[in-house]
Amino acid sequence: MKVIEISNLNKIYNETIIPVHAVNNLSLEINEGEFTAIVGPSGCGKTTLLNMVGGLDKPSSGSIQIQGEDITAYSASRLTQLRLWNIGFVFQAYNLIPVLTAFENVEFIMQLQNKSKSERYERTMELLEAVGLKDKKDVRPSRLSGGQQQRVAVARALASKPKFILADEPTANLDSTSTETLLNIMEELNLKENITFIFSTHDKRVMDKARRIIRLEDGRIIEDQGIIH
Amino acid sequence: MILKIAWKNIWRNKLRSSVVLFAVTIGLVAGIFAVGVMRGALLQRVDSAIHNEVSSMLLHNSAYLSNNESIYTLSNADTILSFLQQQDEVVGACKRLKVEAMINSGRGPRGIILNGIIPEEERLVTRIAGSLVDSSSSYFDKDMRYTPILLSSVLAEKLKVKINSKVQVDAISKSGNSAQDVFKVIGLYKTENSLFDEMNAFIPYQNMAELLEFQMSEAHEIAVLTKNIMEVDSLTYFIQKQFGEQALSSELSGEHLSIQTWKESAPDLEITTLYIDLMLYIFVGIILLALGFGIINTMLMVILERTHEIGMLLSIGMTRLKIYMMVMLETILLSLTGGLAGIIISHFIISYYSNAGINLDFAKEGFNAIGYSSFIYPTIDWLSYVQVTFMVIITGILSALYPAWRAIRLNPSEALRTE
Ligand SMILES: Nc1ncnc2c1ncn2[C@@H]1O[C@H](COP(=O)(O)OP(=O)(O)O)[C@@H](O)[C@H]1O
Ligand SMILES: [Mg+2]
């Protein structure tokens, strides 16, 4: 089943003297259950692409369909609802609310969704268990390692039961052991629970884990391996 | 949850928040204390004026007020007095003869107002007796060779007389004859109003009536002290109803009973009481205005520092309204914490000084010249604390408007790119 369908997407930044064509006439489909890496050197347009898919940024032209609906014309408040209910986000760093514990950070998104206390508790514990941080539930982000913080972020991203997860260079700030742990957790969630992951990276080891690799250069797809139709 | 985050966010930068809290606390303590002191001084002034000068109300013959001639008396003073003394809300009522006179101690004459009073009645209304600073006897003793006179210490100093000195007083009697007598100074009083002190001397009512040919039932003035000085209007109405129509003098027409409440006989006092309430708004308002700019500045720094975090919150689906509320609450809580600390500290300081008093003796002359005591007991009421709390909350809200607006104007993708 198609989760995301992008066609003729363009993003041109006009703020600088020379306009930057960050995403250039890009078309792409993502299916349910994919474990896909967007790869390419720094500045190739990975973040720009993911931000537009996540409804954080408006494309200059083209369309992005999520579950058959074009989101490019959505209002700001509708995009907020889309993000809350359908998309899980993991960023490079500083993903968590510093004043809340690991448990509260995961629970927070379900509070935004007005879920009941018992449901929130159950799901939060389940997810912390899945990312192996049940024993750290009452610890604040500042007392967690970078890898642990990213695992909490993955748990948080999953808490809302989204259609897919966008992770923009989730391992860029991690050492190799933490990178491997995080990827294994993501892979397991993908395989066991059929959660769709789209993550960007320029790390060779991360790419190797992906089942599909989309290579970008200057905002264009130059290679697309492992696509499942 | 938003409330919890807002509260915890305050303590992320402990130093910065503490500086703001400290400033708000100190500002409010200073403001509330200053208001308490002024309030205390003004209330004491009102209290002193009521108890020494204008009482709750003063009754005169209207012609006495317009012509200021001693022939215009209240001929039925005793009837009015006994009516007043039966009223529940009346603490005390007394009659007085009041005539302009010249007092002479051998150092040249001075103009004064000679008051003929009945000490037992006067005691219930005014504090002249209680403010005797020096006396050879208790109020007016009987069986003296000379008629006793009570002067203020200010006047005594000007006349260069002491206790037991003799002074001569000249005045015009009711029938127009000039009359004079020698009096013996038996006591010196002192109120907080040096102007009043300089002008007023007191002798027994009976002696004055005899000397100046007044009837024993006559008086120029009746002073009334009520339980609650704020509620004098209904009593005024009753007195008016009872005596308003009665003739005051057989020969003269166009005279009627005039009733002046303290608000009329001392309009400045009424303004003073109004000012007591306004002062809080003015003082605390100015302080909070200044603090508000500090709070705005602090919150703008907070927003700037948390740009990335706000971008993250917007991205994961927190609505702009919730983010707006979060910044609002953080600002309000920050202000309110400082505000409550300020109120509590002020309360303790004012409580202490309201018992101990503040002695401003170094400026005594100045204070007394304008009718104020130099020994001040600060006071503040609970309503003022409630008002201050509201003002702090409003300051918090106003100071949060701009920073919160800046926060929700952030674009999530750009906010996320900032470190
Ligand atoms: N706000 C912006 N204004 C102008 N140019 C931008 C802006 N954001 C990104 N770019 C440019 O767009 C291109 C793609 O950037 P980005 O999507 O961040 O790439 P990546 O995430 O792959 O490193 C880069 O050349 C970058 O300099
Ligand atoms: Mg990037």
Side-chain angles (χ1 to χ4, degrees), chain B residues 35-324:
Chain B
V35 169
V37 170
M38 282 184 290
R39 211 185 152 88
L42 293 177
L43 286 174
Q44 275 167 258
R45 162 70 190 134
V46 171
D47 184 75
S48 151
I50 297 284
H51 285 97
N52 294 321
E53 301 160 41
V54 295
S55 300
S56 296
M57 53 178 74
L58 292 173
L59 280 53
H60 299 101
N61 180 329
S62 60
Y64 174 81
L65 290 179
S66 45
N67 301 334
N68 206 15
E69 280 183 39
S70 64
I71 49 164
Y72 301 112
T73 59
L74 293 166
S75 51
N76 56 349
D78 283 351
T79 328
I80 299 176
L81 262 186
S82 54
F83 169 81
L84 286 170
Q85 281 156 355
Q86 281 160 23
Q87 304 304 310
D88 263 356
E89 55 266 52
V90 173
V91 176
C94 60
K95 63 175 175 179
R96 295 171 189 152
L97 288 168
K98 271 178 108 98
V99 170
E100 285 177 8
M102 298 303 283
I103 190 163
N104 203 332
S105 62
R107 294 230 163 205
R110 294 184 71 89
I112 54 158
I113 294 165
L114 192 64
N115 295 264
I117 60 172
I118 299 166
E120 296 73 41
E121 286 179 357
E122 191 74 30
R123 195 171 269 131
L124 298 174
V125 182
T126 63
R127 292 194 191 129
I128 303 294
S131 61
L132 284 176
V133 290
D134 192 3
S135 68
S136 64
S137 60
S138 67
Y139 227 2
F140 300 135
D141 273 343
K142 309 273 186 233
D143 308 322
M144 296 177 78
R145 273 205 293 148
Y146 293 96
T147 313
I149 189 165
L150 184 63
L151 304 179
S152 69
S153 43
V154 184
L155 182 60
E157 197 170 308
K158 300 232 155 124
L159 294 167
K160 299 268 184 287
V161 296
K162 294 196 181 87
I163 297 283
N164 292 330
S165 301
K166 312 288 183 299
V167 290
Q168 181 184 309
V169 175
D170 289 83
I172 307 295
S173 78
K174 193 182 180 189
S175 52
N177 303 317
S178 92
Q180 61 168 241
D181 200 357
V182 175
F183 295 82
K184 181 173 151 186
V185 179
I186 54 106
L188 301 177
Y189 73 89
K190 178 155 182 36
T191 73
E192 280 143 16
N193 187 347
S194 46
L195 221 62
F196 174 89
D197 286 8
E198 226 179 296
M199 283 304 293
N200 287 279
F202 300 87
I203 62 170
Y205 175 90
Q206 194 169 346
N207 298 82
M208 184 146 163
E210 279 164 16
L211 179 69
L212 300 177
E213 302 171 57
F214 287 101
Q215 302 291 318
M216 280 303 170
S217 61
E218 269 184 309
H220 292 109
E221 182 173 275
I222 291 177
V224 188
L225 184 67
T226 54
K227 282 178 190 151
N228 183 351
I229 62 158
M230 288 302 168
E231 283 160 24
V232 285
D233 294 335
S234 63
L235 185 63
T236 307
Y237 172 79
F238 279 122
I239 304 169
Q240 196 70 49
K241 212 170 118 188
Q242 193 81 8
F243 300 101
E245 302 299 313
Q246 282 185 24
L248 293 175
S249 158
S250 48
E251 316 117 59
L252 296 149
S253 57
E255 297 169 33
H256 61 265
L257 178 67
S258 145
I259 306 171
Q260 290 176 307
T261 64
W262 62 275
K263 291 178 194 174
E264 290 150 344
S265 42
D268 60 310
L269 286 191
E270 202 193 356
I271 294 168
T272 302
T273 55
L274 292 177
Y275 187 57
I276 287 174
D277 295 329
L278 260 185
M279 219 161 38
L280 183 82
Y281 291 111
I282 296 169
F283 258 71
V284 176
I286 290 171
I287 288 171
L288 284 176
L289 183 72
L291 289 172
F293 284 103
I295 296 170
I296 291 173
N297 190 42
T298 304
M299 289 312 293
L300 284 175
M301 272 163 69
V302 163
I303 300 304
L304 192 69
E305 275 176 17
R306 293 191 205 146
T307 301
H308 179 89
E309 189 177 323
I310 293 165
M312 181 271 289
L313 291 171
L314 283 167
S315 303
I316 64 170
M318 195 167 175
T319 59
R320 286 192 154 78
L321 179 67
K322 286 193 168 125
I323 288 172
Y324 192 85

Side-chain angles (χ1 to χ4, degrees), chain A residues 46-88:
Chain A
K46 304 183 293 292
T47 298
T48 306
L49 175 62
L50 290 179
N51 280 353
M52 287 191 292
V53 174
L56 298 173
D57 216 349
K58 290 266 178 208
S60 305
S61 69
S63 77
I64 301 166
Q65 299 207 347
I66 291 179
Q67 295 191 302
E69 265 196 69
D70 189 358
I71 66 158
T72 53
Y74 274 20
S75 69
S77 64
R78 198 148 173 218
L79 284 172
T80 304
Q81 293 307 311
L82 174 83
R83 293 197 295 266
L84 176 60
W85 294 93
N86 297 305
I87 308 173

Side-chain angles (χ1 to χ4, degrees), chain A:
Chain A
M1 203 184 101
K2 259 186 277 181
V3 186
I4 304 165
E5 186 174 358
I6 298 165
S7 38
N8 307 99
L9 192 68
N10 283 286
K11 178 69 182 180
I12 301 160
Y13 290 109
N14 283 317
E15 289 124 70
T16 41
I17 308 162
I18 311 148
V20 181
H21 212 140
V23 169
N24 195 345
N25 210 35
L26 185 146
S27 296
L28 178 65
E29 278 176 23
I30 305 275
N31 292 303
E32 198 177 315
E34 280 193 20
F35 198 66
T36 297
I38 314 267
V39 305
S42 186
C44 70
K46 304 183 293 292
T47 298
T48 306
L49 175 62
L50 290 179
N51 280 353
M52 287 191 292
V53 174
L56 298 173
D57 216 349
K58 290 266 178 208
S60 305
S61 69
S63 77
I64 301 166
Q65 299 207 347
I66 291 179
Q67 295 191 302
E69 265 196 69
D70 189 358
I71 66 158
T72 53
Y74 274 20
S75 69
S77 64
R78 198 148 173 218
L79 284 172
T80 304
Q81 293 307 311
L82 174 83
R83 293 197 295 266
L84 176 60
W85 294 93
N86 297 305
I87 308 173
F89 287 91
V90 179
F91 305 105
Q92 191 173 326
Y94 307 110
N95 271 295
L96 306 175
I97 301 169
V99 296
L100 299 183
T101 63
F103 182 94
E104 289 166 335
N105 264 287
V106 178
E107 189 191 19
F108 180 70
I109 206 137
M110 288 182 278
Q111 285 183 310
L112 294 179
Q113 291 178 319
N114 292 320
K115 292 273 168 64
S116 75
K117 197 174 166 74
S118 58
E119 189 184 344
R120 295 195 316 249
Y121 181 83
E122 243 167 69
R123 183 143 180 86
T124 305
M125 291 310 283
E126 187 186 303
L127 288 166
L128 285 176
E129 169 109 73
V131 298
L133 288 172
K134 216 171 168 179
D135 56 327
K136 299 278 186 202
K137 76 185 215 349
D138 296 322
V139 174
R140 286 201 189 186
S142 58
R143 314 214 38 198
L144 292 172
S145 71
Q148 289 169 333
Q149 287 183 33
Q150 290 304 75
R151 279 145 67 188
V152 176
V154 169
R156 199 255 324 263
L158 283 166
S160 63
K161 299 194 175 161
K163 300 290 176 302
F164 56 90
I165 290 185
L166 297 175
D168 191 7
E169 307 211 30
T171 61
N173 286 12
L174 303 185
D175 60 41
S176 51
T177 328
S178 305
T179 300
E180 193 168 334
T181 315
L182 185 72
L183 281 168
N184 287 340
I185 287 169
M186 284 165 57
E187 193 176 32
E188 201 172 305
L189 287 163
N190 170 259
L191 292 174
K192 276 195 186 156
E193 316 213 358
N194 200 32
I195 290 158
T196 312
F197 274 92
I198 302 141
F199 51 94
S200 71
T201 186
H202 55 253
D203 184 338
K204 182 81 177 63
R205 290 162 304 173
V206 179
M207 287 175 223
D208 291 346
K209 280 270 181 192
R211 284 201 301 282
R212 177 182 173 189
I213 297 172
I214 298 164
R215 199 173 293 277
L216 292 189
E217 209 177 281
D218 295 329
R220 271 186 264 249
I221 298 178
I222 54 161
E223 193 185 337
D224 191 348
Q225 296 178 354
I227 186 162
I228 325 153
H229 288 283

